[in-house]
């Protein structure tokens, strides 16, 4: 329906009072015409899907909570559901990302294929590549140095993981690296705490 026909219809509903105030359409805080939530934020549908998977009602509070990065994988959902302090949840998530970064760098250093598929758009970007102030400095290390440092980082990680239960350590690697369903949430959290302890550079107590 055109805007002219719509105004004519609204005038007919107003009756004989031609001086009645026209209805003011709602606007956003920025002054733009009101848009549905899905049009304002493309991530809304993804957040709603996360709520459905978690069995939570779709409310504004739950949508805000689902924006946390750890809700996107099985390992992150374990720490998201755990009854722990928020600062510890951030530390455990840092341990998860550190484990993934270490194994990704190691695979690249030894020439191993990627463990997960890469989006085709990342392989063939449509925009011209350029660098700015936020671009990290180029890595000028020779391949031997890269491989040696990547191996040392993976060895440290394996040592941290081995400080706890061996079964829990193996399960943690599968959940974090391969994104499989966690069968022992308590064991996963304890193993990640060992990684956090190692990342801090502290010595593990003798057992």
């Amino acid at each position: 329906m055109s805007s002219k026909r719509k105004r004519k219809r609204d005038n007919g509903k107003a009756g004989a009072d031609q001086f009645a105030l026209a209805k003011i359409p709602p606007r956003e805080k920025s002054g733009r015409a009101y848009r549905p939530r899905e049009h304002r934020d493309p991530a809304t549908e993804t957040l709603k899907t996360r709520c459905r998977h978690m069995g939570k009602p779709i409310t504004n509070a739950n949508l805000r909570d689902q924006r946390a990065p750890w809700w996107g994988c099985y390992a992150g959902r374990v720490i998201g559901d755990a009854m722990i302090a928020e600062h510890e949840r951030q530390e455990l998530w840092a341990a998860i990302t550190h484990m993934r970064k270490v194994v990704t760098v190691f695979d690249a250093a030894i020439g191993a294929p990627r463990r997960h598929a890469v989006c085709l758009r990342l392989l063939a970007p449509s925009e011209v590549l350029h660098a700015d102030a936020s671009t990290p400095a180029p890595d000028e290390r020779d391949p031997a140095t890269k491989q040696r440092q990547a191996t040392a980082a993976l060895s440290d990680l394996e040592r941290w993981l081995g400080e706890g239960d061996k079964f829990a350590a193996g399960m943690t690697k599968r959940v974090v690296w391969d994104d499989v369903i966690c069968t022992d949430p308590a064991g996963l959290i304890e193993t990640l705490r060992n990684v956090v302890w190692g990342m801090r550079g502290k010595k593990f107590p003798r057992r």
Side-chain angles (χ1 to χ4, degrees):
M1 180 181 296
S2 64
S3 58
K4 184 176 180 181
R5 294 178 58 188
K6 187 174 183 300
R7 288 196 303 270
K8 187 176 181 181
R9 185 195 63 181
D10 294 340
N11 292 337
K13 290 182 178 180
D17 189 3
Q18 299 297 328
F19 298 98
L21 296 177
K23 184 179 179 181
I24 301 177
R27 289 188 174 275
E28 301 175 8
K29 293 182 179 180
S30 61
R32 295 187 56 174
Y34 175 79
R35 296 169 297 169
R37 185 200 304 270
E38 291 75 9
H39 295 169
R40 298 196 306 271
D41 186 3
T44 300
E45 288 301 325
T46 302
L47 300 177
K48 288 182 178 180
T49 303
R50 287 184 179 181
C51 289
R52 297 187 186 99
H53 286 171
M54 301 297 294
K56 298 181 179 180
I58 299 177
T59 61
N60 291 334
N62 288 337
L63 290 177
R64 286 193 300 269
D65 180 62
Q66 292 298 321
R67 289 184 181 275
W70 44 76
W71 293 114
C73 62
Y74 285 113
R77 293 174 188 173
V78 172
I79 65 175
D81 289 333
M83 301 298 293
I84 56 179
E86 185 65 22
H87 70 88
E88 185 178 7
R89 186 174 288 109
Q90 296 282 353
E91 292 176 346
L92 296 180
W93 177 248
I96 292 175
T97 56
H98 177 75
M99 289 181 60
R100 291 170 177 168
K101 179 180 179 181
V102 167
V103 74
T104 301
V105 173
F106 177 79
D107 289 345
I110 65 176
R114 294 180 180 270
R115 296 171 181 254
H116 305 286
V118 180
C119 178
L120 182 61
R121 185 168 183 177
L122 296 179
L123 296 176
S126 57
E127 299 179 358
V128 179
L129 299 179
H130 65 281
D132 53 21
S134 61
T135 304
D139 190 354
E140 299 179 352
R141 296 176 299 168
D142 58 276
T145 302
K146 292 180 181 179
Q147 183 174 352
R148 183 173 61 255
Q149 294 179 352
T151 303
L154 183 60
S155 299
D156 290 339
L157 176 60
E158 293 285 357
R159 177 168 52 83
W160 301 340
L161 294 172
E163 291 292 337
D165 181 74
K166 301 301 184 291
F167 175 81
M171 183 267 302
T172 299
K173 289 190 287 188
R174 291 192 300 272
V175 175
V176 173
W177 290 342
D178 299 329
D179 197 27
V180 300
I181 298 178
C182 179
T183 57
D184 184 10
L188 174 70
I189 292 178
E190 288 300 322
T191 305
L192 291 177
R193 284 172 176 166
N194 290 337
V195 177
V196 172
W197 192 265
M199 292 171 61
R200 293 175 179 175
K202 297 183 178 181
K203 294 183 179 180
F204 289 87
R206 290 187 176 183
R207 301 179 353 177

